[in-house]
Amino acid sequence: GCEAVDVIQPWFMVATGDLCDGTDGINYLAAQVDSEWQLYRQIVVDENGMTPDFYYDVAGNHDAYNDGGQEHYLEYGVQGAATGSMQHTWRLETPWDAAYTFVEVATPSNNGEPWYDATQPARLTADERIEAEGWLTAGDDANLSFVLGHHPFGSFDGDADLRDVMQRHGVGHYL
């Protein structure tokens, strides 16, 4: 297992994206590398026992470069392989009777274009926002809700719509 996890004993872990380089070391137009994703899976799952009910890996822009269908994340990502989805939600019930809802949104470009391509910037699509809002609605009884994504507000299309959704549900935390 992972020594730090054994010592700290967190309730869950989140990897906030760029799980792989997605380049050939220089070129953002290079394809995803199967061996890089296989190594990620080997380190995280095979060698350290991370499971989808504990380890939440968020896809970042590097994980989507030249992979518009994001097949690599969906095959090798812990959450992607477990859910077949780019977005995830989970709930934490604490020993002190508090409940926390976490909603992870997919902000990388949906067609696999590099982040610097102004015609295809990082974005949260309307469908992705609707899915996230459904999860927040289902978690409205939580004491606190959090939204997580790879890109900070102000750097992806759809962040203003997401802010509106968060405000409607009393969510003040985007990580």
Side-chain angles (χ1 to χ4, degrees):
C2 183
E3 195 172 310
V5 171
D6 294 340
V7 171
I8 298 169
Q9 299 181 348
W11 285 325
F12 61 86
M13 285 180 57
V14 177
T16 58
D18 290 349
L19 310 171
C20 291
D21 182 45
T23 73
D24 62 2
I26 298 172
N27 183 1
Y28 288 97
L29 301 176
Q32 294 290 314
V33 179
D34 289 341
S35 62
E36 190 174 87
W37 277 99
Q38 291 162 355
L39 180 59
Y40 169 74
R41 184 83 183 180
Q42 176 188 332
I43 291 168
V44 173
V45 176
D46 301 340
E47 295 174 8
N48 289 290
M50 296 295 119
T51 60
D53 61 338
F54 176 79
Y55 184 82
Y56 298 88
D57 49 357
V58 177
N61 50 298
H62 282 253
D63 307 319
Y65 289 161
N66 292 299
D67 191 3
Q70 308 202 347
E71 289 89 8
H72 287 83
Y73 173 80
L74 295 173
E75 181 174 350
Y76 298 108
V78 174
Q79 290 299 316
T83 67
S85 177
M86 296 299 296
Q87 299 196 132
H88 314 99
T89 187
W90 67 98
R91 184 178 176 102
L92 174 65
E93 303 277 343
T94 69
W96 54 87
D97 295 325
Y100 303 108
T101 297
F102 297 85
V103 173
E104 180 263 306
V105 295
T107 62
S109 172
N110 290 75
N111 69 356
E113 292 297 321
W115 63 270
Y116 60 79
D117 183 342
T119 64
Q120 298 296 331
R123 73 171 33 128
L124 182 69
T125 67
D127 288 343
E128 290 165 340
R129 178 186 43 77
I130 290 166
E131 181 177 47
E133 183 160 23
W135 289 333
L136 288 171
T137 299
D140 272 342
D141 65 330
N143 297 89
L144 280 174
S145 294
F146 302 85
V147 176
L148 302 94
H150 178 68
H151 296 93
F153 268 97
S155 70
F156 63 92
D157 284 352
D159 61 348
D161 293 332
L162 180 60
R163 184 181 312 269
D164 292 343
V165 166
M166 291 171 61
Q167 287 175 341
R168 280 196 297 276
H169 293 276
V171 179
H173 307 283
Y174 176 88
L175 309 169

